[in-house]
Amino acid sequence: MKVLFLNGPNLNLLGTRQPEIYGDTTLADIEAAVRKQAEEKKVEIDFRQSNMEGELVTWIQEAVGTADAIVLNAGGYTHNSVAIRDAIASGNVPVIEIHLSHIHAREEFRQHSIIAPVCKGQICGFGLGSYLLGLEASVTLK
Ligand code: CA2
């Protein structure tokens, strides 16, 4: 089984700014924890980050036939990207939406996810745990 982890804009800054919201864990720390758990589950993972909407769209398109599931933290694009939503909807790869923070307990504009209706489900509010739960959910989908 292969799971593609995709991270959207600004997630490369994790651990360096706004620790009161996002904690002091870096994206590299998250990747290491996900890799460790994936190894135990014998799941192959690919872990990527991009600040560019089009690159995320391309990766979602390319996942068709190459990945069994996508765990997606679309960052700020969660709330406004019709292009990412269309890419998810046009493929047949199940997408699990994840967020570090509890988006429903934050500013009003973050409480709406434009991608949620085309995803299998949403996990939010558990920090690094959201990524591990995303992996768990992917395995459960199989
Ligand atoms: O909680 C999440 O995982 C988010 O997807 C994070 C996005 C935010 O726009 C979403 O509403 C919720 C922001 C990621 C930016 O991360 C930063 C980390 C450190 C410093 C600045 C930004």
Side-chain angles (χ1 to χ4, degrees):
M1 182 184 198
K2 183 167 174 183
V3 180
L4 177 61
F5 281 77
L6 295 183
N7 294 281
N10 297 309
L11 285 159
N12 54 312
L13 298 177
L14 276 181
T16 64
R17 296 179 212 168
Q18 294 188 277
E20 67 286 358
I21 302 175
Y22 298 112
D24 54 11
T25 308
T26 65
L27 196 60
D29 295 333
I30 293 175
E31 179 175 356
V34 169
R35 284 199 180 282
K36 189 164 176 275
Q37 187 156 311
E39 253 172 52
E40 285 163 18
K41 293 181 182 301
K42 309 257 179 281
V43 173
E44 187 188 340
I45 69 152
D46 191 346
F47 196 98
R48 304 182 194 174
Q49 187 274 332
S50 178
N51 290 327
M52 287 178 284
E53 186 178 25
E55 191 159 40
L56 292 161
V57 167
T58 298
W59 288 342
I60 292 165
Q61 290 178 2
E62 288 173 355
V64 177
T66 65
D68 297 296
I70 298 173
V71 177
L72 172 65
N73 185 349
Y77 288 140
T78 301
H79 316 293
N80 66 10
S81 176
V82 174
I84 289 177
R85 178 183 165 131
D86 288 347
I88 296 169
S90 67
N92 56 359
V93 183
V95 176
I96 296 151
E97 175 184 357
I98 65 161
H99 300 283
L100 293 154
S101 62
H102 184 357
I103 57 170
H104 304 288
R106 297 187 62 191
E107 303 98 314
E108 204 174 331
F109 72 90
R110 288 187 208 281
Q111 293 176 21
H112 182 252
S113 164
I114 195 172
I115 63 171
V118 294
C119 290
K120 291 296 281 187
Q122 184 191 72
I123 299 165
C124 71
F126 299 101
L128 185 156
S130 295
Y131 284 76
L132 300 179
L133 289 166
L135 176 63
E136 194 70 45
S138 313
V139 173
T140 309
L141 283 175
K142 205 185 154 197

